[in-house]
Amino acid sequence: MECSSWVGIALAGLSVLCVAQCSLSDVPELTNYTFPDDFMLGVSTAAFQIEGGWNEGGKGESMWDTYIHKHPEYTLDRSNGDVAADSYHKWREDIRMIQDLGVSYYRMSISWPRLLPNGTDNNISKDGANYYRRIFKELKRLNITVLVTLFHWDMPTPLMDLGGWANPKIVDYFEDYARVAFDLFGDVVNIWTTLNEPHQHCYNGYGNNYFVPALQSHGVGEYLCTHYMLLAHARVYHLYDREYRPKQKGKIGITLDAFWAEPHDSSKPEDHEAAERYLQMHFGIYAHPIYSKTGDYPAIVRERVDNISLHQGFARSRLPYFTLEEIDQLHGSSDFFGLNHYTTFLMAPSSFEETWRVPSLDHDTGVRLTQNPNWPKPGADWFTVYPPGFRKLLNWIKRNYGSDIPVIITENGSCDFGGLKDYERVSYYNKYLYQMLLAMYQDGCNVQGYFAWTLMDDFEWTDGYVSKFGLYHVDFNDPNRTRTPKLSAINYREIVRTRQINFDFIKPPGRPLHDNRI
Ligand SMILES: *[C@@H]1O[C@H](CO)[C@@H](O)[C@H](O)[C@H]1NC(C)=O
Ligand SMILES: *[C@@H]1O[C@H](CO)[C@@H](O)[C@H](O)[C@H]1NC(C)=O
Ligand SMILES: *[C@@H]1O[C@H](CO)[C@@H](O)[C@H](O)[C@H]1NC(C)=O
Ligand SMILES: *[C@@H]1O[C@H](CO)[C@@H](O)[C@H](O)[C@H]1NC(C)=O
Ligand SMILES: *[C@@H]1O[C@H](CO)[C@@H](O)[C@H](O)[C@H]1NC(C)=O
Ligand SMILES: *[C@@H]1O[C@H](CO)[C@@H](O)[C@H](O)[C@H]1NC(C)=O
Ligand SMILES: *[C@@H]1O[C@H](CO)[C@@H](O)[C@H](O)[C@H]1NC(C)=O
C-alpha cells in the first residue's frame, strides 16, 4: 500500500453530504473481547520492499528493478529498491524484531528472480535458495510460523518481457517456480499464498501506470492479467494439493484486496446498487471464481463486460472465458481467504467521469468514488479512516461466500510520514483490531488471523520511502539502516502479550481517556 499518492482512484470531488455513517450511533458498546488462543497474530513484509541486494548473489532483475532504473522519476523521491531496508544482509536482526514483538506468525514473500534469476526453473540460484532456507529454518527454530507468498509483484524481467500475466504460458512458468519453492522449502514452510493482491496488480499495473509494469492497457490488459493470475493460482493450488500436501501437510491460499464500498446516499437504491456493483467488479471478480458456491466470474461482471465490449465493436468480450474444466479447477482452490483491506469509499452510479478511459475497468464498473469528508484523514489524501468499513466488508464476505472459509487478514496498517511517536498508528491498530473482534464475536465472521502491515518502514512502490507503514522505524540515511521500535511496536507487543486491546496502554498526549476508542 502507499500513503501519499493515491493510485488508481480518481476522487470526483469532496463535496459529499454527511450521510448516516458519520454519526457514532453504529459504534457498539465497548466490551473486553480477547483474541482466541489459536488466533494468528503476525506481521507482514514483502521481498522487494525490504530486501535490497538487487544484484547480489546472482539475483536476476525483477520488473521493478528494470523499470525504475530506466525511469528514476517514477517514484516520488526518485528512489529505488536497490538497498531498501537491506534485509538481504540484516535478516537476522529482522527476526529478532519479530521475536521482540512476541508474534508467532510472520508473512513474507520470496523474490521470484532471487530464486530463479531468469524466471525459469533451468537456473536455480544457490545463493537465493540458501538465503530463504536460512530464514525459514531460523523462524522454525524460534517457533515462528511463516506464511510465504510466492508472488508479491516482483515479476522476473525476462518473463515480463514476454507479457507477464497477460501471456497464457505464464501459468506454466508460475507452476514451475512454485514447484521449485515447494521442493526446496516445503519441509520448513507450512502456509503458502500464491498471489498478493491481483486486483491492485492488474488494475494499477496492467490497466494503468500507477504500478510497474505501467502498461496502460486499460480495458484489455487488466482482464488478461486477472484471468491468467487466477488460472495460475488454481494451477499451483492443485500442484500443492496433489503432490506436496500429502507429505508436507500444509495449507495454501491466495491474498485478495478490497475497499469497503458504502452507498453515497443510503436512501437511494441506485447508490446501494452501485456499491454492490463496485464490490463485484473489483473484488468478486477474484473471489467468486474461488469461494462462491457456483464458481466462475460473477454473473454481473460477465454480463457487463460482454455487453459493453459488444457495444464498443469488439467481436469478443474483453474479459476472457473460463472453460468448464477451468471453472472447476478454480472452484474451492484456497484453504483460506487472505484479505488485505485498505479504506472505504462512497459509491454512486455514473456513466462517465473525466478521469476514466474507455474502455477500462472503471468505465465498465460505472461507479463514481468519493470520500466522506467527515471521516478522519490523518495524513494522505486518499486515507480516510472508517473502522466500521472493515467490519462491513467481513460481513459481505460472509454473506457471499459463507462462514466456513477462514479469513486471514494478511495485511492492514496505517501510514504517516515518519516519527517514532506514532500515536495515530497506535490508535489505528486498536480501532481496527477492535472492529475485527466485533465482527468475530457479534457477527460470527470466521476470522482466524491478522498480520500487521508492516514490520518496518520500507520501499512503498511509487511512493518510494516517503510514506511510512512500519512498526519499526528504519533510518534510510544510515548505511546500517538502523531499526528502532516506534510506540506502535510497543503497543502491538502488548496486544500480542495480553491478547486484548487496551485503549489506555499508550495514550496520545492532551486527549482525555477513552477519547481515542472510536
Ligand atoms: C474491561 O476490563 C476493564 C479492566 O480490566 C474493566 O475495568 C472493565 O469493567 C471491563 N469491562 C467489561 C465490559 O467487561
Ligand atoms: C543462471 O543465473 C546466473 C546468475 O544470475 C547467471 O550468471 C547465469 O548465466 C545463469 N545461467 C543460465 C544458464 O542462464
Ligand atoms: C539469465 O540471467 C542472467 C542474469 O540476469 C543473465 O546473465 C543470463 O544471460 C540469463 N540467461 C538467459 C538464458 O536468459
Ligand atoms: C518451540 O516449541 C517447542 C515445543 O513446544 C519447545 O520445546 C521449544 O522450547 C520452543 N522453542 C523456542 C525457541 O521457543
Ligand atoms: C448494454 O450496454 C449498452 C451500452 O453501454 C447499454 O446502453 C445497455 O443498457 C446495456 N444492456 C444491458 C442489458 O446491460
Ligand atoms: C488498513 O485498513 C484501513 C481502513 O480500512 C486503511 O485505511 C489502511 O490503509 C489499510 N492499510 C493497509 C496497509 O492495508
Ligand atoms: C554500522 O554498523 C557497524 C557494525 O555493526 C558499526 O561499527 C558502525 O558504527 C555502525 N555505524 C553507524 C553509523 O551506526
Side-chain angles (χ1 to χ4, degrees):
M1 208 45 232
E2 303 178 48
C3 203
S4 60
S5 54
W6 181 235
V7 286
I9 294 299
L11 298 173
L14 299 175
S15 54
V16 189
L17 292 173
C18 181
V19 287
Q21 59 274 26
C22 30
S23 92
L24 297 179
S25 59
D26 57 348
V27 178
E29 206 182 304
L30 293 161
T31 51
N32 292 344
Y33 292 124
T34 60
F35 293 98
D37 284 344
D38 55 356
F39 190 89
M40 302 179 236
L41 282 168
V43 278
S44 276
T45 60
F48 189 76
Q49 296 181 266
I50 60 167
E51 280 180 7
W54 76 281
N55 60 357
E56 289 182 60
K59 176 179 165 293
E61 288 191 29
S62 81
M63 66 176 187
W64 277 89
D65 294 308
T66 309
Y67 191 88
I68 318 179
H69 287 157
K70 220 178 271 173
H71 306 279
E73 74 291 349
Y74 188 71
T75 52
L76 210 56
D77 52 359
R78 300 181 68 93
S79 65
N80 57 41
D82 290 2
V83 180
D86 200 22
S87 248
Y88 179 67
H89 297 109
K90 298 179 78 79
W91 60 273
R92 284 182 192 280
E93 203 175 314
D94 297 344
I95 292 180
R96 273 199 297 280
M97 279 149 43
I98 299 164
Q99 255 187 301
D100 222 46
L101 288 170
V103 294
S104 307
Y105 293 86
Y106 178 50
R107 171 178 180 253
M108 58 180 280
S109 75
I110 295 175
S111 156
W112 185 345
R114 188 178 298 289
L115 190 58
L116 307 180
N118 301 93
T120 48
D121 64 355
N122 64 320
N123 195 10
I124 301 171
S125 158
K126 226 181 204 130
D127 178 273
N130 286 339
Y131 173 67
Y132 292 112
R133 186 151 184 92
R134 279 188 313 222
I135 294 177
F136 299 150
K137 283 186 73 171
E138 180 63 4
L139 289 166
K140 194 180 168 76
R141 189 180 73 77
L142 298 170
N143 293 335
I144 296 165
T145 301
V146 69
L147 190 153
V148 175
T149 303
L150 289 170
F151 181 77
H152 200 122
W153 300 1
D154 43 1
M155 174 69 72
T157 298
L159 295 179
M160 191 62 237
D161 289 343
L162 300 173
W165 295 110
N167 178 348
K169 293 303 280 182
I170 194 74
V171 178
D172 294 342
Y173 288 107
F174 187 60
E175 182 183 30
D176 297 343
Y177 159 49
R179 182 181 283 109
V180 171
F182 297 154
D183 279 337
L184 287 173
F185 311 125
D187 60 329
V188 281
V189 175
N190 277 117
I191 312 180
W192 297 92
T193 59
T194 52
L195 306 171
N196 176 69
E197 296 188 11
H199 168 256
Q200 290 294 321
H201 192 70
C202 295
Y203 175 75
N204 287 318
Y206 286 67
N208 288 297
N209 60 352
Y210 306 111
F211 287 154
V212 176
L215 293 183
Q216 306 200 60
S217 172
H218 45 89
V220 176
E222 290 125 332
Y223 292 122
L224 289 179
C225 172
T226 297
H227 195 74
Y228 295 112
M229 279 190 104
L230 281 167
L231 288 173
H233 158 77
R235 179 78 74 77
V236 166
Y237 175 85
H238 288 287
L239 170 71
Y240 187 81
D241 198 47
R242 195 177 58 239
E243 295 179 26
Y244 295 89
R245 197 200 296 275
K247 263 198 325 267
Q248 300 178 349
K249 312 232 180 295
K251 293 195 185 313
I252 181 163
I254 188 170
T255 283
L256 305 180
D257 65 278
F259 304 136
W260 174 242
E262 188 79 16
H264 181 277
D265 179 342
S266 61
S267 70
K268 286 190 180 157
E270 63 268 33
D271 288 11
H272 283 270
E273 233 171 75
E276 177 65 17
R277 186 161 74 241
Y278 179 87
L279 285 168
Q280 293 294 355
M281 295 288 294
H282 290 255
F283 182 43
I285 191 173
Y286 298 97
H288 195 276
I290 299 172
Y291 299 108
S292 69
K293 287 217 165 59
T294 50
D296 202 357
Y297 291 120
I300 180 178
V301 174
R302 180 82 270 162
E303 282 160 20
R304 274 188 88 81
V305 185
D306 286 5
N307 176 47
I308 297 172
S309 300
L310 191 72
H311 278 77
Q312 288 166 336
F314 289 88
R316 70 178 74 242
S317 177
R318 288 177 281 105
L319 178 65
Y321 276 75
F322 292 124
T323 64
L324 289 178
E325 193 190 350
E326 287 168 344
I327 290 173
D328 204 45
Q329 280 170 358
L330 268 157
H331 191 217
S333 63
S334 199
D335 299 330
F336 54 86
F337 198 125
L339 178 69
N340 295 355
H341 175 57
Y342 303 91
T343 190
T344 296
F345 286 93
L346 303 178
M347 308 279 165
S350 169
S351 53
F352 189 72
E353 298 289 318
E354 229 170 78
T355 50
W356 292 353
R357 302 181 225 200
V358 183
S360 68
L361 175 56
D362 287 324
H363 179 255
D364 292 340
T365 305
V367 173
R368 179 169 49 106
L369 275 62
T370 50
Q371 288 175 316
N372 185 330
N374 296 298
W375 292 339
K377 223 191 235 196
D381 204 40
W382 64 273
F383 189 89
T384 57
V385 179
Y386 179 57
F390 191 12
R391 182 181 182 185
K392 292 178 184 184
L393 177 63
L394 290 169
N395 276 279
W396 192 89
I397 291 172
K398 182 183 157 203
R399 268 201 310 284
N400 281 270
Y401 312 118
S403 52
D404 288 345
I405 188 84
V407 176
I408 300 175
I409 311 304
T410 39
E411 273 180 34
N412 187 251
S414 162
C415 68
D416 58 25
F417 302 113
L420 293 173
K421 296 200 165 152
D422 55 342
Y423 291 105
E424 287 291 353
R425 184 172 289 105
V426 169
S427 143
Y428 170 91
Y429 276 118
N430 288 343
K431 290 174 188 169
Y432 274 88
L433 283 165
Y434 191 70
Q435 289 296 319
M436 194 180 71
L437 287 169
L438 292 178
M440 290 161 62
Y441 284 99
Q442 298 190 356
D443 310 335
C445 296
N446 186 8
V447 187
Q448 298 193 356
Y450 180 97
F451 288 73
W453 182 267
T454 178
L455 177 61
M456 61 191 141
D457 293 341
D458 64 1
F459 177 80
E460 284 292 333
W461 311 111
T462 22
D463 271 7
Y465 299 96
V466 175
S467 45
K468 313 289 189 190
F469 276 93
L471 293 167
Y472 283 76
H473 172 268
V474 175
D475 185 352
F476 291 103
N477 296 315
D478 172 358
N480 278 3
R481 296 295 191 271
T482 303
R483 287 111 157 96
T484 314
K486 304 180 189 176
L487 287 179
S488 57
I490 294 163
N491 185 63
Y492 196 55
R493 180 168 62 200
E494 183 68 3
I495 291 173
V496 171
R497 190 183 70 80
T498 59
R499 305 196 77 77
Q500 192 164 11
I501 298 157
N502 180 353
F503 286 92
D504 300 326
F505 181 64
I506 290 174
K507 284 166 293 200
R511 280 197 215 168
L513 225 61
H514 305 308
D515 187 35
N516 57 335
R517 292 191 180 195
I518 297 154

